[in-house]
Structure formats: structure tokens, C-alpha cells
Amino acid sequence: MRVKWRIPIDGFLLAIIAAAMVATFLPASGVGVPVLVWLTKIAIFILFFLYGARLHPQEALKGLKHWRLHLTILAFTFVLFPIVGLLIGLLPSWALAPSLIPGMVFVTLCPSTVQSSINFTSIARGNVAGAIVSASASNLLGVVLTPLLAIALMNTTGSANVGLGSILDLMLQILLPFLLGQLSRRWTAEFVQRHKKLKLFDQGSIVLVVYSAFSQGMREGIWNMVGWTDIVALVIVCCVLLVFMLWLTWWAAKRLGFNRADAIAIQMCGTKKSLATGLPMITVLFAGQAVGLMVLPLMIFHQAQLMACSWLASRYGRQADGYTP
């Protein structure tokens, strides 16, 4: 039987790549720099307010009856991935350029995606309800856990520096608006859910973050820090990391006695890293550092996970009855 599957390169990702290219050739300069900085801060504030207004906190509680599934997924996202990140931080310079290691480590600390995790679990005929609860819980917890992990792991390993100023910026630009969004749900949740076009603001904010990051990078001469061989090495590291985690989540799910539907949810949710949440966090946490180089690994890993999980989900959907726990 011929396998038909489509590489999911969507318009959003193309817009992100376009923003990086525009910033490479036409970076913000002069009076445009402080204007762009403030526009980015405002966009991130509104973005996380909308995240808070969208995510129902009870979604992370109503499925706790299947606590083994959710704890397993969260353990992969916030425990096993960071452990692998520590190992990546030890890679020698011939394997991965030192300037790219901090961004690669940060990839391992990000929360899971919501939409693609749920979509791929559904296509694969996995436990969709479990995926919804776990992905939502991952994003709720990630607003706090990802920065804490970055402070604990990246400062101590020397991968990057997260100072007091970064923590205060994080609280003001990410945690505060997220909490305000949660508290405002009584008045805003229905409006946000009804107006689906607000997703365009989400995506536009991320595109603005990418343009701002790469503009800063161009002013700092990031392309003098890495060459094409370094980018190729980064792609290889991202793919190896993804393949290893896809194997580990599936193997562990079988060893722990989960059924096929749960194993799919564990694999699809436990291997994802959120571009939409991670990029703004990078901009806030690592302000003043080589943000452009921090962004690259997450962009590459994001596309790799879409391609791999699209193929896997289609395959599982066709062979759903062949699973043996």
C-alpha cells in the first residue's frame, strides 16, 4: 500500500521564516529600535493575557482520574527532556557550536503544544480527551516551570544567564498578563473563544518577536558567530533529539502498561515543544543576549516535530489494531 502523507509546512511557519529573512536584510535600526522593543513587549503582554483567557484551569483538573497518563506526559516534558538538555549542554564544540547550545537546551525546557498535540492524537486514533487535559496542563504549568527550569539549569551549567532583571521582566510580561487572563475569564473567555480570528494576533505577535530577535541578532553580528556547517549540525541534533524522544515515549508507554490510545497520547504530547510559548519566553528571559541564536533551535525543532508526527499519526491511524502493549 502506498503511504500518502503531506509535510505540514503551514503559512504561520512561512511567515516566521519570512520575518527572520527580512530582519537579516532589513533589521530595525535607529529610532525604530526602541519602538520595536516596546511594540514587542506590548504584544507579548497581550499574547499571554489571551493565553490565560483561553485556557480553562478546570481542564487540567477534570481528567485527573487518569492521573498516570498525565503524570507520565508531564514527566517527559518537564523532567526527562530537561535531563537530556543537560546532556546537550555537555556537547563538544565539534558536535554543536557553543553559541547554539543555549537555544538547544532551552528547547528541552519548553511546555508541550496544545493544538498540534491534540490534532495528531486524534488522527492517530489515540486518547484525545487525555491529550486535551495533558496539553492544557502542560501549558498552564509551563508558564511557571519553564522559566524556573531555565534559571535552575541554564545558569548553573553556564549555558546562558538568567538574572534578576529577567525574572522581573518575566513576571511583568508573561506571568502577570497570564494570571490577569485567568482572572478575567468570567468576562473574556466567551469573547475570546467566539472570535477565532484573534489567533491571527497570536501568530502576528510571534512573527513580531522573531523579527525583533533577528534584528537584534543582526546588530550583534550573529551570522558571524555561526556558519552553514553549524546550522547543519543543529538540524542533525534536533532530529536526533526528536527521534530519541519519540522512541523513548513509545517504549516507556508500553513498559508502563498503557493501552494503545494512551501510548499515542503520551508520544504525541510528550515529544512536542511549543513555539508559540517558547519564543516570547526567550525574548523576555534572555534580553540583552544573542536572542537570534536562541530562537533558531526552537524553530527547527518545531518543524521537525510537525513532519515526524504527521507521518506517525497517519501510520498509527491506519494500523490502529496492530498495537501490542
Side-chain angles (χ1 to χ4, degrees):
M1 180 187 297
R2 293 187 62 184
V3 177
K4 294 182 179 180
W5 62 287
R6 182 174 61 87
I7 297 176
I9 302 178
D10 57 21
F12 177 40
L13 185 68
L14 291 178
I16 288 175
I17 295 172
M21 295 298 294
V22 171
T24 299
F25 296 101
L26 295 172
S29 60
V31 295
V33 175
V35 172
L36 180 62
V37 168
W38 278 104
L39 281 176
T40 304
K41 288 182 178 181
I42 293 170
I44 290 174
F45 188 97
I46 298 174
L47 179 69
F48 276 85
F49 176 86
L50 291 174
Y51 285 168
R54 256 187 220 110
L55 284 174
H56 199 304
Q58 291 184 357
E59 286 183 352
L61 299 175
K62 67 183 181 183
L64 288 182
K65 61 182 180 181
H66 203 352
W67 58 270
R68 286 183 67 247
L69 172 68
H70 308 312
L71 283 182
T72 300
I73 292 173
L74 292 174
F76 275 109
T77 302
F78 295 117
V79 179
L80 293 176
F81 249 117
I83 289 173
V84 175
L86 286 175
L87 298 177
I88 290 174
L90 300 176
L91 286 176
S93 58
W94 58 262
L96 187 63
S99 57
L100 293 172
I101 286 179
M104 196 64 233
V105 173
F106 188 79
V107 168
T108 66
L109 311 181
C110 290
S112 178
T113 61
V114 177
Q115 183 176 351
S116 62
S117 294
I118 296 168
N119 288 348
F120 288 138
T121 301
S122 177
I123 292 170
R125 288 190 281 169
N127 185 342
V128 177
I132 291 172
V133 174
S134 292
S136 300
S138 177
N139 270 252
L140 284 166
L141 294 172
V143 175
V144 175
L145 289 182
T146 295
L148 289 178
L149 286 168
I151 293 167
L153 301 185
M154 300 185 76
N155 278 2
T156 55
T157 60
S159 296
N161 181 46
V162 183
L164 179 61
S166 297
I167 297 171
L168 293 175
D169 286 342
L170 175 83
M171 294 176 65
L172 291 174
Q173 293 183 57
I174 292 180
L175 187 57
L176 175 62
F178 183 83
L179 292 175
L180 289 175
Q182 288 278 285
L183 294 173
S184 73
R185 280 185 52 82
R186 178 178 178 182
W187 304 280
T188 60
E190 184 180 347
F191 176 86
V192 171
Q193 293 295 335
R194 187 169 66 248
H195 292 79
K196 301 298 184 182
K197 288 187 177 180
L198 283 173
K199 284 285 186 181
L200 295 176
F201 178 85
D202 293 8
Q203 296 177 351
S205 298
I206 302 304
V207 171
L208 180 65
V209 166
V210 171
Y211 176 77
S212 178
F214 274 85
S215 287
Q216 178 182 332
M218 289 305 297
R219 295 192 298 272
E220 297 168 350
I222 60 170
W223 298 121
N224 295 324
M225 304 177 191
V226 293
W228 284 109
T229 55
D230 297 320
I231 302 300
V232 171
L234 175 61
V235 172
I236 293 173
V237 171
C238 284
C239 291
V240 170
L241 171 62
L242 178 61
V243 170
F244 172 71
M245 293 306 295
L246 285 169
W247 168 81
L248 183 61
T249 49
W250 190 256
W251 177 84
K254 291 192 292 183
R255 289 295 179 272
L256 291 172
F258 287 101
N259 61 31
R260 177 186 177 277
D262 288 345
I264 288 172
I266 290 169
Q267 188 179 59
M268 294 300 165
C269 296
T271 57
K272 296 287 191 310
K273 291 298 177 179
S274 175
L275 184 77
T277 303
L279 287 185
M281 285 186 176
I282 288 173
T283 302
V284 176
L285 280 170
F286 305 102
Q289 301 179 53
V291 177
L293 291 179
M294 294 285 294
V295 164
L296 268 178
L298 187 54
M299 291 173 58
I300 292 172
F301 188 85
H302 175 78
Q303 181 57 30
Q305 71 185 13
L306 288 181
M307 294 170 65
C309 291
S310 174
W311 177 78
L312 278 173
S314 297
R315 179 172 178 267
Y316 292 157
R318 292 187 304 270
Q319 302 176 350
D321 297 329
Y323 178 81
T324 303

